[in-house]
Amino acid sequence: MTPARPGENCWDITSASRASVLVDGASYFSALRKALLEARHSVFIVGWDIDSRVELRGDEEMPEDGLPLQLGPFLTALVGKRPDLTIYLLLWDYSVIYALEREPVPSLNLDWKTPEQIKVCLDDVLPLGGSHHQKIVVIDDIVAFCGGIDLTIRRWDTSAHKPDDARRRDPGGEFYAPFHDLQMCVDGDCAAKLGELVRKRWHAAACHAVSAVPPQKRGDPWPKALEPDFTDTDIAIARTIPEMGDTPEVREIAALYVAMIEMAEQFIYIENQFLTSDLIAHALAERLAQQPDLEVLFVSPEDHPGWLEAHSMKAGRIRFMQILEEAGVADRVRLTYPSVGPAEDETAVMVHAKLMIVDDRCLRLGSSNLNNRSMGVDTECDLAILAEADDETCRRAIESVRNRLLAEHLGVADREVETTFAEKCSLLATVDALNGGERRLRQFRDSGKYDGPVVQTVSQLADPERPIEAKLYVGDMFGGQPPKAIFGKLTALLLMGGLLAALALAWRYTPLADFADPERLQAWLTQIANNEWAALIVTLLYVAGSVIIFPVTVLIAATALLFDPLQAFAVAGAGALSAATVTYGIGALCGKQFLRDLMGQRINRVSRALAKQGVLSVMAIRLVPIAPFSIINLVAGVSHIGFFQYLLGTILGMAPGIIIFTALGNRLRQMIDNPSTGDVAILIGIIIAWIAMSIGLQAVIKRRQG
């Protein structure tokens, strides 16, 4: 009986005609490159990090397809060959903590230096303290890759993990340690479901809906040289999604881990970067107590680099193992790290994989670590292949993957692992029997404390169980050290903003303020009042005035002084709406992509907040303007407020002022100088009536949208 239950511990159970486990970066990058070459319509690449400098290659020095080696130039050349192909890159708008580890200002290198067909979104639609941690590539909604490998630097390595492999260097020429990780390649309905997942994520972060690729246009981008490990198999998809606004949290990852542990009888094999989750530790302790023959083998990194991880993840691992020790089951648990080279000069292999195999009946692989963050704070995605009791083919395939991984770590052939395990009937005894060469699994035990005040504080920030209000982790693309290339455009943006602000202030505090006096303006407009085109000319003046940030209230007042009340209302209304429409369009056409690329999706958050109330938001800003009329229009054009709601909100927000100005005409100044109780009561009544009407209209619009 499968432990996967859609709606409880997985999102869905899908089918794949082919599925393969790709071991280590060289294998993944090679397969991905071949699949991308066959893409025709859309490619989604989402991850914790994406680096334009990463080299897409396998064990060979240079691929034979003739395209550039690095990701950024490769994708640029690819869309050059495929005019109908669009590539979407979604990466976490990361914390300043990781600024020095990643490519500075990736939007510059992945978006500004690439064709329009390549779209980039920096994902910051997450609660404070959370990160986007999924590592997924979906090609034409028919082939997908999901696992623990980001398309970034310091991930490439072959399964040989040679200590002195000269190819294992980052773009700065720095050598890095051997690196072990895993990715799964799937096709069919499973890939299509992952396509749905990444499109939803793109829509949430970029506020831009992307349609699925129709089945008849999907083709077959499966890498031709990649032999499937599994055929015609069911695959469960499990997610972690933290609570975000109106979106409830999803904790399928944690629930599926517990369900898999609860079914274990013989062994659990785990490769994972972090071991800090108390939930998982207690589940293992309980199951080990219930099953006296059960064994657990962990393959993890020896050390966690950096002060933050050393004081959080390592301390959490100490606590994790202590839970097992206190339960009296630690003698059947082995914590190991892989190493290569002579024993007297060994090199530890960095383990970044996220894998669990239970009794050769279940195999899960994805992005989730066995830490608290992956259970409820970060976005995660895992794939799980769950063999039925009578599905011997699937069980043999899972066993083959396990043998392949152990053989890599122990430096022996797959067949030798299979034979030894059959003899020993014990995972730990198999490791002991084969653990004697220059590739080995070293058992280790952490030392130190995990309960000091510094450790507890750091752990609460670095590895929370729930989203936290931790400004330390706020995604901030500009908290690091951006390259000088950005300053030109950043300066341009600042100059543009300064110019708009200067124009707005000039009409009030410079000699131009004399011209911005309604009576002075009216004297000038009187010259054209008798022209048969006067109404149209004044309307066009509203549009021209909005472009140079001229105060619209001055134009309305001058219009009220120039025309009779009914004509003044019509001209002022037409002029204000025309100006609002033109400047909204300028913002949408010229500022939208530029501002979003530069400022990340922070603009999205603000504009979503405005768009949520739609008509009411615009109306409120018009009634009590927080910025000049033209600037509000330009920003609205960048926002997610629909044009109809924007226009209706503008009408409702400006109508009271226009009516008051045009209806009272020349009496307005007298009313301002000597207001009576009746005048004030009328004004308040008009505003209340207008607000009530606006709330009613907004309710009608929401019902229709719903």
Side-chain angles (χ1 to χ4, degrees):
M1 179 179 178
T2 176
R5 295 178 291 275
E8 182 178 335
N9 57 28
C10 68
W11 182 31
D12 200 359
I13 298 177
T14 63
S15 62
S17 59
R18 294 167 291 190
S20 286
V21 175
L22 300 167
V23 183
D24 298 310
S27 175
Y28 171 43
F29 289 170
S30 177
L32 175 62
R33 186 182 184 96
K34 292 179 174 64
L36 288 171
L37 288 169
E38 301 301 321
R40 292 296 183 272
H41 300 283
S42 71
V43 174
F44 278 89
I45 301 175
V46 303
W48 184 85
D49 188 18
I50 302 172
D51 196 306
S52 67
R53 302 166 297 176
V54 67
E55 296 183 347
L56 281 185
R57 61 179 170 86
D59 200 5
E60 73 278 12
E61 286 297 327
M62 189 69 186
E64 298 178 355
D65 52 52
L67 271 64
L69 198 59
Q70 292 187 328
L71 177 65
F74 173 83
L75 295 180
T76 297
L78 186 62
V79 297
K81 296 176 59 177
R82 303 272 188 268
D84 295 329
L85 177 64
T86 305
I87 298 176
Y88 303 90
L89 307 178
L90 178 68
L91 65 157
W92 177 39
D93 190 3
Y94 55 84
S95 167
V96 66
I97 287 173
Y98 300 105
L100 297 180
E101 298 180 24
R102 299 170 56 154
E103 181 176 27
V105 193
S107 61
L108 174 68
N109 296 299
L110 292 171
D111 194 5
W112 293 7
K113 292 183 179 179
T114 54
E116 286 293 321
Q117 290 164 263
I118 299 177
K119 315 292 183 182
V120 178
C121 177
L122 305 178
D123 184 356
D124 69 349
V125 188
L126 293 160
L128 293 181
S131 73
H132 177 69
H133 201 245
Q134 296 164 342
K135 301 98 165 45
I136 305 172
V137 177
V138 180
I139 301 173
D140 290 339
D141 285 339
I142 192 63
V143 167
F145 299 84
C146 178
I149 307 179
D150 287 299
L151 292 183
T152 190
I153 62 173
R154 293 177 169 259
R155 297 295 191 270
W156 182 93
D157 199 4
T158 69
S159 293
H161 299 308
K162 296 179 180 178
D164 56 351
D165 194 329
R167 297 171 295 175
R168 203 169 51 242
R169 295 183 183 274
D170 64 22
E174 293 293 324
F175 178 82
Y176 60 93
F179 195 92
H180 173 69
D181 210 339
L182 303 170
Q183 198 85 353
M184 187 181 290
C185 182
V186 298
D187 69 357
D189 292 341
C190 184
K193 194 69 176 179
L194 290 173
E196 179 183 343
L197 175 67
V198 296
R199 285 194 304 276
K200 286 181 177 179
R201 191 71 206 151
W202 179 269
H203 192 189
C207 297
H208 168 222
V210 180
S211 300
V213 178
Q216 64 272 20
K217 294 184 177 182
R218 290 178 180 173
D220 184 17
W222 181 273
K224 292 181 173 57
L226 181 61
E227 291 293 328
D229 296 313
F230 303 87
T231 56
D232 300 321
T233 188
D234 289 337
I235 301 178
I237 303 174
R239 306 161 299 165
T240 296
I241 302 175
E243 182 179 357
M244 293 178 283
D246 297 333
T247 303
E249 69 173 3
V250 174
R251 298 175 71 92
E252 297 157 355
I253 293 278
L256 187 58
Y257 270 124
V258 172
M260 290 177 64
I261 291 169
E262 289 176 344
M263 67 176 290
E265 296 178 353
Q266 185 181 6
F267 69 86
I268 301 175
Y269 175 66
I270 294 172
E271 293 187 0
N272 210 280
Q273 182 182 6
F274 299 126
L275 306 173
T276 69
S277 171
D278 288 359
L279 172 71
I280 303 303
H282 285 296
L284 284 170
E286 183 176 349
R287 189 58 181 171
L288 284 161
Q290 294 170 349
Q291 295 289 328
D293 296 330
L294 181 62
E295 300 174 329
V296 180
L297 175 63
F298 289 111
V299 178
S300 296
E302 178 187 17
D303 286 314
H304 296 303
W307 184 91
L308 182 66
E309 290 184 356
H311 285 77
S312 57
M313 300 306 178
K314 186 174 181 179
R317 190 166 68 187
I318 294 172
R319 186 184 66 250
F320 186 100
M321 295 303 296
Q322 185 165 326
I323 290 172
L324 299 176
E325 291 169 1
E326 291 175 350
V329 296
D331 59 317
R332 287 179 281 131
V333 178
R334 186 82 54 86
L335 181 59
T336 67
Y337 69 90
S339 70
V340 295
E344 64 277 6
D345 188 28
E346 69 176 13
T347 300
V349 177
M350 172 60 192
V351 177
H352 194 262
K354 299 92 170 60
L355 168 101
M356 175 184 280
I357 295 176
V358 176
D359 293 344
D360 292 337
R361 291 188 292 160
C362 303
L363 179 152
R364 72 178 290 164
L365 190 160
S367 66
S368 70
N369 289 303
L370 292 180
N371 60 357
N372 296 317
R373 302 185 60 84
S374 289
M375 303 303 153
V377 177
D378 297 339
T379 57
E380 306 282 8
C381 182
D382 286 6
L383 303 181
I385 296 177
L386 309 162
E388 297 291 346
D390 58 349
D391 191 346
E392 188 62 28
T393 300
C394 186
R395 296 185 67 160
R396 290 288 296 172
I398 296 175
E399 178 187 0
S400 178
V401 172
R402 171 180 58 80
N403 291 339
R404 159 79 175 82
L405 293 170
L406 283 173
E408 173 182 323
H409 297 316
L410 296 170
V412 298
D414 299 14
R415 181 65 179 174
E416 193 170 353
V417 174
E418 179 183 3
T419 301
T420 304
F421 184 81
E423 294 174 355
K424 303 291 185 181
C425 297
S426 164
L427 195 62
L428 302 185
T430 298
V431 171
D432 290 338
L434 299 175
N435 211 8
E438 290 200 353
R439 302 191 65 176
R440 65 195 73 80
L441 286 173
R442 288 284 197 194
Q443 185 174 356
F444 69 103
R445 177 187 176 90
D446 292 309
S447 61
K449 296 182 178 180
Y450 69 87
D451 58 353
V454 173
V455 169
Q456 289 183 356
T457 300
V458 172
S459 296
Q460 289 171 0
L461 293 175
D463 191 29
E465 296 182 7
R466 300 279 179 180
I468 57 175
E469 296 290 324
K471 292 185 179 180
L472 183 66
Y473 277 84
V474 176
D476 183 2
M477 283 303 304
F478 299 100
Q481 300 177 1
K484 293 182 179 179
I486 189 68
F487 289 154
K489 292 193 175 183
L490 180 57
T491 301
L493 179 67
L494 295 176
L495 290 175
M496 182 178 67
L499 177 61
L500 294 177
L503 280 171
L505 293 172
W507 296 115
R508 185 166 184 179
Y509 298 111
T510 73
L512 289 175
D514 293 336
F515 187 74
D517 178 81
E519 291 185 353
R520 293 281 297 273
L521 184 61
Q522 188 262 347
W524 179 72
L525 291 176
T526 300
Q527 300 176 21
I528 60 172
N530 295 326
N531 191 300
E532 61 178 327
W533 298 101
L536 177 59
I537 293 172
V538 173
T539 299
L540 294 176
L541 285 175
Y542 275 78
V543 175
S546 69
V547 173
I548 60 173
I549 323 295
F550 189 84
V552 71
T553 52
V554 173
L555 288 169
I556 294 172
T559 304
L561 295 171
L562 184 64
F563 298 100
D564 62 70
L566 286 179
Q567 190 178 14
F569 175 78
V571 172
L577 292 181
S578 298
T581 299
V582 169
T583 42
Y584 176 95
I586 292 173
L589 293 175
C590 299
K592 197 168 192 173
Q593 193 61 47
F594 176 71
L595 290 177
R596 287 187 185 171
D597 288 347
L598 187 62
M599 299 176 66
Q601 307 314 327
R602 295 163 184 78
I603 273 192
N604 288 347
R605 285 207 302 267
V606 174
S607 60
R608 265 194 296 266
L610 290 174
K612 189 174 182 180
Q613 294 301 322
V615 171
L616 287 178
S617 298
V618 180
M619 185 205 72
I621 293 173
R622 298 302 191 195
L623 284 173
V624 187
I626 60 174
F629 173 78
S630 300
I631 293 179
I632 291 173
N633 303 338
L634 291 169
V635 173
V638 180
S639 78
H640 300 87
I641 298 174
F643 178 71
F644 171 73
Q645 294 195 45
Y646 162 79
L647 203 60
L648 184 56
T650 297
I651 293 171
L652 292 172
M654 297 195 68
I658 294 175
I659 287 176
I660 292 169
F661 272 105
T662 58
L664 298 178
N666 289 319
R667 292 180 51 204
L668 182 61
R669 185 179 297 278
Q670 299 175 8
M671 287 184 62
I672 294 173
D673 293 337
N674 299 291
S676 67
T677 304
D679 293 334
V680 174
I682 291 172
L683 291 175
I684 293 175
I686 290 173
I687 293 173
I688 292 175
W690 230 265
I691 291 174
M693 183 189 303
S694 301
I695 293 173
L697 284 171
Q698 179 68 24
V700 171
I701 290 172
K702 279 194 170 183
R703 269 200 298 274
R704 292 188 65 182
Q705 288 178 336

